[in-house]
Each structure stands twice: as structure tokens, then as C-alpha cells.
Amino acid sequence: GNSNCRLSLPAPSPERPFPPAPPPPHPPPPPSSACLLRSSPPLPLLPFSAPPHRLPAAMDGKTEEGDGKKKRQPPPATATATAPAATPAATPAAASSSAAKSSSTSTSASSSGYEKAEKKVKDPGDFAKFKGSVAHARVLAFILEVSDSIHGVGLSSVDAKTAPEPIKRLTEALSTMESWLKEIPPIKQPMRFGNKAFRQWHARLVENAVAILKTIIGKELSEAGAHEELVPYLTASFGNPTRIDYGTGHELNFVALLICLSEMGLIDPRKDGKAACLVAFQRYIEVMRSIQTLYWLEPAGSKGVWGLDDYNFLPLLWGAAQHAGRGATALQTTPPSAIHDAGAKKALAGDSLYFQAVAFVCKVKSGHLAEHSPMLNDISGVPSWKKVHSGLVKMYTNEVLGKFPIIQHFFFGAILSLEPASSELLAKAAGQKPRKPFGKK
């Protein structure tokens, strides 16, 4: 080596060796001499802690802080005692603002605060707001409330004649819509799917939507402009006339219509949940299946062989709720595996939304259930309907309410708004029962 370099280094004394140097706060600059690098001991490496990777709040299922803390809520809007009562003639912007502020805390919409529902989710930022919004919470809360009300209840046990008047009018309107299918037959065209005659049928629906809704909600709410908020939900419930397709996003719009009727005070999901689901929703599904098999609408967002159903989701979810719960009815004592039993399928064909949904899938698809719908086939191996239902609720939250391509086409108004939901409403959407005051039994 270089003798001059060796002479430049002080020789350590055997009695007093060099003590180890403490780790510096920052790595020192490299020495200027190569011989120092060769002779000096290696420096210890400082520990490095990279910031944890964090997904957006709307994607990871956590709170905004990401540490399990409760999400901060804006202070609830309080009405002053001197504020004059709003009237239907109020400015639309003022009515919209008032409804948006009160929708997170009130249980029903003001008769003068309605606004025309519009598409408001334009980008991922808007979609992030949706997860904690009034609309998201009310949809889930309604689904869970209806589920609780139909445990062990069959379709044949609910009499449509005893349903609330708005439900009766809605089912009558659905029957009228179904009669239009005879007046507008499919046209001859080279492709099987997406018959263009559906556009004529949908145009008739748009033409009659206002009259249908005014009949359902009555004169008082119609004069307050409530029907204007409901029109987009009704017309979007039956598919897209441009693409001639139908899917779970359109099904969501019909549920939104039922939720609006509930928030207007026309139905109570706890008391009228049986009629809302097993009369109105069931009639809607029957009409949609007639439309699908006549005009052969394209499945919107189909996942093909690995999906549950190319068109609908809630017949399976609410159907599982029928079979769930503690009881000894024929629905509750039938296990999920019975969908492979011909006798059970025949016996429950008139009572179970779930068995009807599976039967329709097998009707429009060829082959064995395990081949064309392996996910439905796998669900039959779940030991209890309670687990089937809870799993479908989670799947609906993720695969329908949690998908931007679906929610970007959803409509938001004064009732189903993008405003942040209250903690009480969020707890309701999570299936949590309201707590009793301390000391009360």
C-alpha cells in the first residue's frame, strides 16, 4: 500500500484502544482520503421508518384519521325560533340548502324542501364523500330495517289489499307498466340482446312519470313539489334506454324511491317493511323480469360466471333475510343447501325471494348452477341463513354502494343527499340498535 498513508494514521496504544464512536445523528460527509475509508471502522446505519401507506378513506373502510377514532361530525343545524316557516314558493336554492342541512339529523323531509334529484358524484373526491353521506346511510339503514321485518315471512302470507295506500298505488302503476309490454312488442333485429323497442317503452314511462308519482304521493306533497325529486328515481329504475341495459344500479334507484316515500312519512319500514319488500319490490322484480326476457336488456356491469346475478342483487339479500331469524317456519327451517333440492324449490317457489332469484338465473342461463353461477353454488354450503344474509349485506356495500361506476349515475336530492350523516344515522346504517339511557331497563 501507500506508506505515507499508513504513517499519517496514529497507531493505537495497546493500553488504550480507540473507544467506539457513538452513532452520529446524521451520516458524516465522506472523508477526502481513500486511505481513511479503508482504515476507519464502518459507521452504524440509522433506523429508517417510512410513513405507512394509507388508502383513501372511502376505499380502506377506515375513518379519516385511519386510527379507529371516531370521525368528526359537523355540528347539527338548529332552527331558530324566530325563523318563519318555509313555503313551497321559497327559492329553490334556499330550499335545497335547508334540506341538505337538516337531512343528517331529521327523520323526514320538510314538505317545502324538495329538490330535483341530480347526479352529483363526478370524481373520486365526490365519491369519498358518498360513503359518509346521508344517502349512503339511509340506503343501508332501510335495507337492514326491511330485513328485520321479514324474518320468516313468506310472499304468500302478505296481502296486498292490506298494504298502505301508497304501496297499493305503486303496485297498480307497476301493473300498468307491465301492460305496455303487450302494446310495444319487440322489433325484428339481427342481434338478440338489446331490442330497440325498449326505448319506446321507456319513453312512455318518462311521459307518464309525473302523473304516476302524483297519484302515489297524493295532492298535498305534489303541490309541495315532492314529485320532482322522485321522477329521476322512477325513470332510472327500469334500465338505460340509450345502452338498453339494466343492472344493480337501476335496482338501487327503485330502492331510493321507496326510501323517499318512507322519509316523506308515507310508509314506515319497521311497520310496513313487509309490504314495501314483499308487495311493492316483488312486483317491481316481476315486471323487470318480464322486460328482461322480452327485450333482452344487456346486463349492466355483469361479472359473468363469477357474479351472483347479472341483473339483480336485493332479491337474494332480502330473500336470505326471509329465511333468517329465530323461528320454526318453513322458510327458517330450510337450509341454504336446499336450492339443490327439487322438492324444496317447488315448495318455496311462491314464498321465497331467494329461491325465485336462483330459479330465474337457471332459466336464463344454460347448464348446471355450479357451472354458470359458482358463487351461488358456493353460498349453498354456508351453514346458516344468518351468515348468508350478513355476507350479502357486506357484499352489497362493497360491490354496489362501493363502486364508483355505479354511484356516478345515482341521483342525489334533498332526501338522499351528499351531506355528512349524523352519528345516529351512521350507527343505524351499521345495524346498531339505539342505546337505552343509563339506569333504564
Side-chain angles (χ1 to χ4, degrees):
N2 192 339
S3 60
N4 293 331
C5 286
R6 285 197 297 272
L7 292 174
S8 65
L9 289 173
S13 172
E15 292 82 7
R16 189 176 181 182
F18 291 123
H26 298 286
S32 58
S33 174
C35 60
L36 290 178
L37 288 175
R38 186 169 59 248
S39 306
S40 301
L43 294 173
L45 295 177
L46 292 175
F48 174 74
S49 58
H53 177 65
R54 181 177 298 175
L55 292 173
M59 304 297 179
D60 62 1
K62 298 180 181 178
T63 56
E64 287 184 348
E65 293 79 10
D67 56 359
K69 294 181 180 179
K70 198 173 182 180
K71 183 178 178 181
R72 294 190 182 94
Q73 296 294 334
T78 56
T80 58
T82 58
T87 60
T91 308
S96 170
S97 175
S98 173
K101 290 180 180 178
S102 62
S103 59
S104 62
T105 54
S106 64
T107 56
S108 61
S110 170
S111 59
S112 59
Y114 302 110
E115 63 181 57
K116 185 175 181 180
E118 298 177 346
K119 297 177 181 180
K120 297 181 180 180
V121 174
K122 307 293 185 182
D123 52 47
D126 296 332
F127 183 65
K129 298 177 184 177
F130 170 69
K131 188 171 184 179
S133 69
V134 171
H136 187 279
R138 280 184 169 162
V139 168
L140 281 179
F142 183 83
I143 289 174
L144 294 177
E145 283 183 334
V146 171
S147 296
D148 291 340
S149 70
I150 60 175
H151 289 328
V153 182
L155 291 167
S156 60
S157 63
V158 180
D159 188 2
K161 296 179 181 179
T162 62
E165 197 62 31
I167 297 295
K168 290 181 183 178
R169 296 169 186 166
L170 178 56
T171 54
E172 290 172 0
L174 290 169
S175 298
T176 301
M177 297 176 201
E178 190 176 34
S179 68
W180 298 342
L181 299 177
K182 298 179 180 179
E183 302 171 13
I184 308 175
I187 63 176
K188 293 182 179 180
Q189 60 182 35
M191 56 279 198
R192 177 189 179 190
F193 285 92
N195 195 285
K196 295 180 180 178
F198 172 70
R199 293 173 178 166
Q200 301 177 32
W201 184 94
H202 197 275
R204 183 176 294 188
L205 170 64
V206 173
E207 181 182 351
N208 292 273
V210 172
I212 291 172
L213 290 169
K214 285 185 175 182
T215 302
I216 294 172
I217 64 177
K219 182 179 179 182
E220 183 178 354
L221 286 169
S222 298
E223 291 177 349
H227 62 283
E228 294 293 340
E229 184 158 343
L230 303 180
V231 167
Y233 296 125
L234 179 64
T235 55
S237 296
F238 297 88
N240 185 288
T242 302
R243 298 188 301 267
I244 314 183
D245 65 2
Y246 173 85
T248 52
H250 303 103
E251 177 190 65
L252 174 61
N253 280 282
F254 187 81
V255 175
L257 176 63
L258 294 177
I259 295 171
C260 289
L261 296 181
S262 172
E263 295 300 322
M264 290 176 182
L266 297 176
I267 60 175
D268 182 354
R270 292 167 295 183
K271 183 177 65 175
D272 305 321
K274 299 182 185 70
C277 177
L278 305 181
V279 176
F281 181 77
Q282 167 64 2
R283 189 73 188 99
Y284 161 74
I285 290 296
E286 289 176 348
V287 174
M288 273 314 310
R289 286 172 180 162
S290 298
I291 293 174
Q292 291 160 18
T293 54
L294 181 65
Y295 300 128
W296 288 105
L297 275 61
E298 293 276 3
S302 169
K303 290 189 177 181
V305 69
W306 293 110
L308 281 175
D309 184 336
D310 290 343
Y311 296 106
N312 298 101
F313 195 107
L314 288 176
L316 294 166
L317 190 154
W318 276 334
Q322 286 181 279
H323 291 272
R326 297 179 180 178
T329 65
L331 289 168
Q332 293 167 313
T333 57
T334 303
S337 59
I339 63 169
H340 302 292
D341 187 339
K345 288 190 289 186
K346 184 177 180 181
L348 297 175
D351 277 325
S352 172
L353 286 169
Y354 192 94
F355 277 71
Q356 287 185 357
V358 174
F360 181 75
V361 170
C362 294
K363 177 182 177 181
V364 297
K365 294 184 178 181
S366 59
H368 191 270
L369 181 68
E371 297 173 353
H372 59 66
S373 302
M375 189 176 292
L376 280 177
N377 185 68
D378 292 344
I379 290 175
S380 66
V382 178
S384 69
W385 285 107
K386 181 180 179 180
K387 289 187 176 181
V388 173
H389 179 261
S390 63
L392 290 175
V393 170
K394 293 177 182 177
M395 189 174 180
Y396 189 84
T397 305
N398 295 330
E399 300 299 328
V400 179
L401 300 181
K403 297 300 182 184
F404 177 79
I406 294 178
I407 302 305
Q408 69 175 341
H409 297 295
F410 188 68
F411 297 91
F412 297 88
I415 297 176
L416 296 173
S417 70
L418 270 178
E419 294 297 315
S422 65
S423 57
E424 180 182 357
L425 185 55
L426 290 173
K428 193 176 179 183
Q432 300 175 8
K433 304 295 182 182
R435 294 183 178 181
K436 295 182 181 179
F438 180 76
K440 292 187 178 182
K441 296 183 179 180

